[in-house]
Amino acid sequence: MRVAGIDCGTNSIRLLIADVDAAAGELIDVVRRMEVSRLGQGVDRTGRFDPEALARTLTFVDDYAAQCREHGVESIRFAATSATRDAANRQLFVDGVRERLGIDLQVLTGEEEARASFTGAISALASADDPLLTVDLGGGSTEFVLGRSDGIVLGAASMDVGCVRIYERHLKDSGEAGIEAARADVRAAMDATGIDFSAARTLIGLAGTITTVTAKALDLDVYDPERIHATRLPFAEIDEACEWFIHASVEERAARGFMHPGRVDVIGAGSLVWQEIIRRLERETENTTALTSAVTSEHDILDGMTLWAAREPNPPHL
């Protein structure tokens, strides 16, 4: 069966078209794409989609619809996450997707988003010590799932902290004072999740901020998903890479061959969030599981939505 998943977050929109190996329950990639649409531009401040951001994103949906037609996709699941949850005029986006794909998108709650990310991450995980904690660091929110490698979820939470939201709130026009305010924001949000971070024996990081930080830590010349996926890095190396992004200029970031142009402005904010998370995990597991490293995954909510399209078919009208 040929299926597709689409994930539209605050910063990016992504498409995965895949064939499903029903016996193994695995995906075989046909097309995997990512574009920076910045749908969530200004949503944290206004509570509404900006018309230009909405039009920009729907142009990519047109393109994805054409790709799905070309490749004979039989089922599509479309996830809209943090920005769409928060936008009072979200119906404009819902209607635009229905016109182009002939399906209803799923506006996922924070917990649903976390669980879909967890499903996608463990679908491509060779082995891990349980319990494992997945961290999906997006543009508008960050999702945590504490669970087991057999798919059992022990706890899930979402916090309204992500690279775009933190950038717009604290770092767009501020210096060191903005950095300290951003750190306080992240810490307070983590306090409110209710997740028992001290129980984690494996930490898995997902999504663009974390994969880009990993590319920096590996000193890659170009972005290489195969090198990045399943890389285990010591916390000290992650911390160093995050610190570089937080303080580097826009020009220094853009000069890196692995850097996607659409992340250049917000990667410092995302790196600050990831740095605060690993520092928290190191402190809280010091007397329990003594976590000292994190695994980066290139598989996340996009894979989870594509697996859902196979599990519960949702035929499009293209």
Side-chain angles (χ1 to χ4, degrees):
M1 185 179 187
R2 180 157 288 180
V3 299
I6 300 174
D7 166 42
C8 187
T10 300
N11 195 47
S12 64
I13 183 168
R14 300 180 299 155
L15 167 70
L16 173 58
I17 297 175
D19 291 327
V20 181
D21 181 338
E26 296 177 351
L27 300 172
I28 303 164
D29 287 13
V30 176
V31 173
R32 192 179 281 263
R33 289 182 52 181
M34 186 278 286
E35 278 77 30
V36 172
S37 62
R38 198 66 63 89
L39 176 63
Q41 174 185 321
V43 169
D44 186 61
R45 177 177 53 85
T46 67
R48 300 179 65 82
F49 285 136
D50 177 271
E52 290 185 4
L54 185 60
R56 194 167 56 230
T57 304
L58 289 173
T59 296
F60 288 124
V61 177
D62 282 326
D63 192 11
Y64 288 1
Q67 289 273 288
C68 289
R69 280 194 299 271
E70 178 184 339
H71 291 282
V73 168
E74 302 166 66
S75 173
I76 302 175
R77 289 288 174 177
F78 190 126
T81 55
S82 178
T84 308
R85 286 197 294 269
D86 293 351
N89 59 342
R90 71 179 67 86
Q91 194 62 41
L92 293 173
F93 187 46
V94 173
D95 292 343
V97 169
R98 186 184 299 116
E99 288 170 11
R100 288 158 173 82
L101 294 173
I103 61 167
D104 289 322
L105 60 78
Q106 283 77 36
V107 182
L108 302 184
T109 67
E111 184 168 330
E112 287 170 338
E113 183 179 356
R115 289 173 179 266
S117 295
F118 182 73
T119 300
I122 66 173
S123 72
L125 196 67
S127 62
D129 293 331
D130 292 337
L132 52 88
L133 178 71
T134 58
V135 178
D136 184 352
L137 202 172
S141 64
T142 297
E143 281 65 47
F144 298 96
V145 173
L146 185 69
R148 301 195 322 227
S149 49
D150 62 2
I152 299 297
V153 172
L154 306 174
S158 177
M159 62 181 186
D160 284 337
V161 165
C163 62
V164 175
R165 199 182 295 263
I166 290 295
Y167 171 72
E168 291 184 349
R169 281 184 190 173
H170 302 295
L171 303 181
K172 189 173 184 178
D173 301 307
S174 305
E176 288 299 320
I179 290 174
E180 289 310 308
R183 292 192 186 281
D185 204 350
V186 177
R187 291 166 187 165
M190 289 188 73
D191 288 342
T193 62
I195 295 290
D196 181 8
F197 296 111
S198 69
R201 294 188 64 194
T202 302
L203 175 62
I204 302 170
L206 321 174
T209 288
I210 293 173
T211 60
T212 303
V213 169
T214 302
K216 171 67 174 70
L218 294 174
D219 197 26
L220 298 183
D221 293 326
V222 296
Y223 192 89
D224 185 346
E226 292 187 4
R227 286 281 307 279
I228 292 167
H229 180 65
T231 292
R232 181 181 293 274
L233 291 173
F235 282 164
E237 293 183 19
I238 299 172
D239 195 282
E240 182 180 354
C242 288
E243 194 72 11
W244 185 87
F245 278 120
I246 292 166
H247 296 287
S249 68
V250 169
E251 293 76 18
E252 287 171 328
R253 296 171 186 168
R256 294 288 175 156
F258 56 75
M259 189 77 235
H260 191 290
R263 297 195 192 281
V264 170
D265 56 344
V266 298
I267 188 64
S271 297
L272 184 148
V273 176
W274 185 219
Q275 186 182 61
E276 285 296 323
I277 290 170
I278 64 166
R279 289 178 177 181
R280 176 73 166 262
L281 265 291
E282 189 167 39
R283 288 195 306 272
E284 295 212 5
T285 64
E286 184 178 6
N287 297 317
T288 53
T289 60
L291 269 181
T292 59
S293 64
V295 177
T296 301
S297 176
E298 284 278 355
H299 298 267
D300 51 31
I301 187 173
L302 183 60
D303 300 73
M305 295 304 294
T306 310
L307 288 165
W308 184 12
R311 190 170 59 249
E312 296 180 35
N314 191 36
H317 300 284
L318 298 168

